[in-house]
Amino acid sequence: MALAATVYTSGEARSAAGHPVASSARAAPGAAATAGASPSPSKTAAGLTVPAKAGAGTVGPALDAEMNAIIDANGEYQIGVALIDLSDGAVHEYGVQQAFVAASTAKVLAAAAYYHLVETGGATLNEPMGDWTAGFQLKEMIQDSDNDSWSLIMDAVGHQELSDYAASIGVSYDPESNTLTPAEMARIMAALYSGKLLDPDDTAQLLSYMQDTNYETLIPAAAPADVTVFHKYGLLDGELHDAGILSRDGSAYALVIYTKGDGEDDIPQRTDVIHQLTRAVTDAVF
């Protein structure tokens, strides 16, 4: 089953030819994430800390004002931002709150749905898929944003089944229109990082693919060097997005920035806006 034509972009497509079959090795699991009163950081399913708030910044009026000022100063673009502090789960929204075409950020949802299928016995990571294995296609879809891999994963899950999986985690998603609000995407990222979607091994593996990707010029480029970033970008015609997790010293935040312009000519300008918004967040909370 082919994806709707609007999902694809030549700017994101990468060929899997010449790549070896992916290893089945995964990162060691940690304990599930919890938020408590103790200042000692807890561990997520990926073995990452979330989130002891002692000494950490907060999402408050000053940050709200700065985020809104950046968006207002760039009114020629549609900009929607969602920020979740994983210590309390509160969703902070700025700018456009309606759905955008999610472009390739939705590949995180497709990956989670396939891993869920594996965990419930409906598939395996080692089964053939295209010229490679399902595990390899998952890695290519996330780390290299390969659209052929995306199509194969979507077909394996099933479009209706993907909608049903999204609904089961509180997200409204139609693969044919491929639309999500920034807040919906942020909830997906927060639930993944917190170990609420997948078992520890699969959580760790999927997050590992969201580092050192083929497009590191958006949120990762603006984050301080000591902040760990897991992310998935999206680029499609006028859409330029990034969906990430920012983590340091026991604090973690889901940050999703969706932007829409007239085409690809203003990508440098919107990249700068994404950098401004990212720096505003990191300056305030870390």
Side-chain angles (χ1 to χ4, degrees), residues 260-278:
K260 183 175 176 60
D262 292 330
E264 296 188 357
D265 290 343
D266 60 8
I267 284 177
Q269 291 79 15
R270 283 188 285 145
T271 297
D272 182 64
V273 174
I274 291 172
H275 290 172
Q276 292 178 49
L277 292 164
T278 301

Side-chain angles (χ1 to χ4, degrees), residues 96-259:
V96 178
Q97 298 179 20
Q98 288 74 35
F100 289 71
V101 174
S104 284
T105 61
K107 290 172 180 174
V108 176
L109 179 61
Y114 189 86
Y115 277 112
H116 177 73
L117 192 62
V118 171
E119 292 177 5
T120 55
T124 72
L125 295 179
N126 293 323
E127 65 187 62
M129 185 177 288
D131 293 332
W132 311 97
T133 65
F136 178 74
Q137 299 293 2
L138 281 166
K139 182 177 182 179
E140 283 294 287
M141 178 179 71
I142 297 297
Q143 196 163 52
D144 287 339
S145 206
D146 190 305
N147 285 328
D148 292 335
S149 298
W150 190 13
S151 183
L152 289 167
I153 293 294
M154 293 272 279
D155 289 348
V157 173
H159 285 206
Q160 183 58 53
E161 289 78 4
L162 180 54
S163 293
D164 293 344
Y165 175 76
S168 76
I169 62 174
V171 172
S172 176
Y173 181 70
D174 178 0
E176 301 302 329
S177 61
N178 190 36
T179 57
L180 290 167
T181 68
E184 286 175 326
M185 189 66 221
R187 285 195 290 268
I188 293 168
M189 296 293 290
L192 170 65
Y193 185 82
S194 298
K196 296 176 180 178
L197 298 186
L198 305 172
D199 73 23
D201 286 349
D202 291 333
T203 299
Q205 187 175 78
L206 181 51
L207 286 171
S208 76
Y209 297 158
M210 297 167 69
Q211 293 185 290
D212 300 321
T213 73
N214 68 320
Y215 204 89
E216 294 288 285
T217 62
L218 299 174
I219 289 174
D226 59 350
V227 171
T228 301
V229 180
F230 307 89
H231 79 113
K232 183 69 196 79
Y233 79 96
L235 172 61
L236 174 66
D237 299 329
E239 315 287 337
L240 180 67
H241 310 325
D242 209 358
I245 292 289
L246 305 169
S247 176
R248 192 185 77 179
D249 296 337
S251 295
Y253 297 81
L255 174 62
V256 173
I257 305 172
Y258 279 0
T259 76

